[in-house]
Amino acid sequence: MFLAITFFIGISIIMIFPIMSQAQSEEKTFVTHTGAVVKTSGEIIDPLYVVSTVEFDPMNYLRDFNYGRVSELSDGTTLREYTIIAEDDKIMEVSSGVFYNVWTFNGTVPGPTIRATEGDLLKIKFINNGQKEHTIHFHGIHPAGMDGVFEPVGGNGGQFVYEFTAGPVGVHPYHCHVMPLEEHIVHGLYGVFIVDPKEERQPADEMVMVLNGLDTDFDTENNFYAANTIPFYYQHHPIQINTNELIRIYVVNMVEFDPINNFHLHGNLYKYYPTGTDLVPSFYTDMITLSQTERGIMEFEYQYPGKYLFHAHKVEFSEKGWVGIFLAKENLDTQEVNYGS
Ligand SMILES: [Cu+2]
């Protein structure tokens, strides 16, 4: 009788949690960023949903801008159409042997960098293929019904079209705004929305850095920090830039749980445009401090070739992954530049 009950309970657990059992027993062997071969126990943190791998390359993300599908309306207005699909069932390897249940926009954390010019009409078709309700809340100026707060979109294929005129000029975050908000953000439902001025900014090697934190043990404290999700990535894979070429970084702080973050640049200072809404820089500095969703545009160029660190001057954050290197190569001809990512 006892054996029968035990057997019945065992079968019930397997029937109720088949994916969880499978996820936790899966071992993996892989090569780390530094080339070491590591074998994990197979433990996957938060194995709540179907396991699938998320391919994310921070180097590609850095300079990848989504301008949408472009057409022109009869009045001459530029229409840009985008599709963003939310999912909440991905498992992503964020560091050697560390797996995290990420909630994604278009399959990545952060989601795509949406880019438009001030005055363009934007249509963003949002499809929620997740299990939970999600939205997209864009920072910026738009009608109340397009704010992504009071229009939760149901999972398993729910849809909504956000339609508004791009503005103001600057760099803005977008993120899911469904409660509990902290949970939806810290799992990864956010991205960057850049609105360019009609008269273009000076040509530059442009890149996006989203500062984020990863709470891998769900105690509402971050275990890892990063620029663009993968801790230490740009330290092990330095970002190649050219000397005597303008570098423009759109930086957005999406760290939850910690009240501040910051960005310190070595061997240089940068012009800083808070939120990017003013075309005149407010500071010339090597250190900015950012609270949640604070953001801005940094501009600088290196005169001398070599390796330069950039990192959080909140040292705990840099020691837990928010650190990287610029590798400045000699560039004698500033007209012909090779971004060399
Ligand atoms: Cu959400």
Side-chain angles (χ1 to χ4, degrees):
M1 183 64 186
F2 176 75
L3 276 175
I5 292 171
T6 306
F7 179 74
F8 177 74
I9 291 172
I11 290 292
S12 303
I13 288 173
I14 289 169
M15 287 176 69
I16 294 168
F17 302 108
I19 294 162
M20 183 183 288
S21 322
Q22 179 194 337
Q24 286 183 323
S25 63
E26 182 190 356
E27 291 184 9
K28 279 188 81 175
T29 302
F30 60 93
V31 180
T32 70
H33 300 322
T34 54
V37 178
V38 174
K39 194 167 188 176
T40 72
S41 65
E43 183 180 354
I44 294 174
I45 298 166
D46 191 19
L48 293 177
Y49 307 109
V50 177
V51 176
S52 52
T53 304
V54 175
E55 297 293 337
F56 181 69
D57 182 344
M59 204 58 86
N60 281 345
Y61 173 80
L62 196 65
R63 295 179 174 101
D64 189 21
F65 302 100
N66 185 338
Y67 290 91
R69 200 165 52 251
V70 183
S71 58
E72 192 174 307
L73 302 178
S74 56
D75 66 356
T77 302
T78 298
L79 169 66
R80 294 183 190 272
E81 296 174 273
Y82 311 81
T83 300
I84 296 187
I85 301 170
E87 291 178 274
D88 50 31
D89 65 349
K90 303 276 187 180
I91 301 293
M92 181 172 178
E93 188 179 15
V94 292
S95 188
S96 303
V98 178
F99 298 87
Y100 192 46
N101 172 215
V102 287
W103 301 1
T104 59
F105 284 136
N106 286 2
T108 60
V109 177
T113 298
I114 299 294
R115 192 157 185 178
T117 301
E118 187 179 35
D120 292 349
L121 179 63
L122 308 189
K123 283 188 182 178
I124 298 125
K125 183 177 181 181
F126 176 54
I127 303 169
N128 182 4
N129 284 343
Q131 312 284 314
K132 299 167 181 282
E133 290 184 332
H134 299 298
T135 65
I136 308 178
H137 163 63
F138 285 89
H139 288 219
I141 299 171
H142 46 246
M146 295 292 139
D147 202 37
V149 174
F150 304 114
E151 316 79 20
V153 180
N156 302 308
Q159 297 192 10
F160 188 88
V161 178
Y162 297 94
E163 186 174 331
F164 55 90
T165 300
V169 161
V171 52
H172 311 291
Y174 69 82
H175 58 85
C176 177
H177 213 298
V178 168
M179 300 299 280
L181 191 51
E182 217 170 50
E183 181 186 28
H184 287 244
I185 291 178
V186 81
H187 277 275
L189 286 173
Y190 49 78
V192 176
F193 171 41
I194 296 172
V195 181
D196 291 316
K198 284 178 181 166
E199 290 191 10
E200 293 177 5
R201 296 180 196 272
Q202 191 182 347
D205 179 2
E206 298 197 320
M207 48 191 88
V208 174
M209 289 196 195
V210 177
L211 311 184
N212 44 11
L214 305 168
D215 172 22
T216 52
D217 56 6
F218 307 101
D219 63 353
T220 68
E221 287 185 16
N222 290 308
N223 303 75
F224 295 94
Y225 298 87
N228 299 338
T229 307
I230 308 295
F232 301 105
Y233 188 87
Y234 297 119
Q235 184 176 40
H236 299 309
H237 302 82
I239 299 170
Q240 292 188 32
I241 58 173
N242 293 309
T243 57
N244 304 311
E245 184 191 1
L246 183 66
I247 309 296
R248 178 176 298 123
I249 300 179
Y250 298 89
V251 58
V252 180
N253 178 38
M254 290 307 297
V255 166
E256 282 298 333
F257 307 132
D258 296 282
I260 61 152
N261 200 345
N262 45 36
F263 195 126
H264 169 51
L265 186 65
H266 278 225
N268 215 336
L269 277 78
Y270 46 86
K271 293 176 185 168
Y272 186 65
Y273 306 74
T275 316
T277 49
D278 194 336
L279 302 182
V280 179
S282 301
F283 307 108
Y284 185 52
T285 180
D286 61 7
M287 240 294 290
I288 50 166
T289 295
L290 304 161
S291 70
Q292 278 83 8
T293 70
E294 238 188 307
R295 71 280 188 184
I297 300 174
M298 306 165 55
E299 286 182 345
F300 56 91
E301 56 183 68
Y302 275 98
Q303 184 180 351
Y304 307 109
K307 282 183 180 178
Y308 298 96
L309 272 179
F310 59 92
H311 62 91
H313 222 299
K314 170 92 173 94
V315 176
E316 178 200 354
F317 294 4
S318 58
E319 289 182 350
K320 291 178 178 172
W322 169 188
V323 56
I325 293 173
F326 285 116
L327 177 58
K329 288 180 164 181
E330 193 90 54
N331 175 34
L332 301 175
D333 181 355
T334 55
Q335 301 305 308
E336 291 288 329
V337 292
N338 176 10
Y339 292 159
S341 62

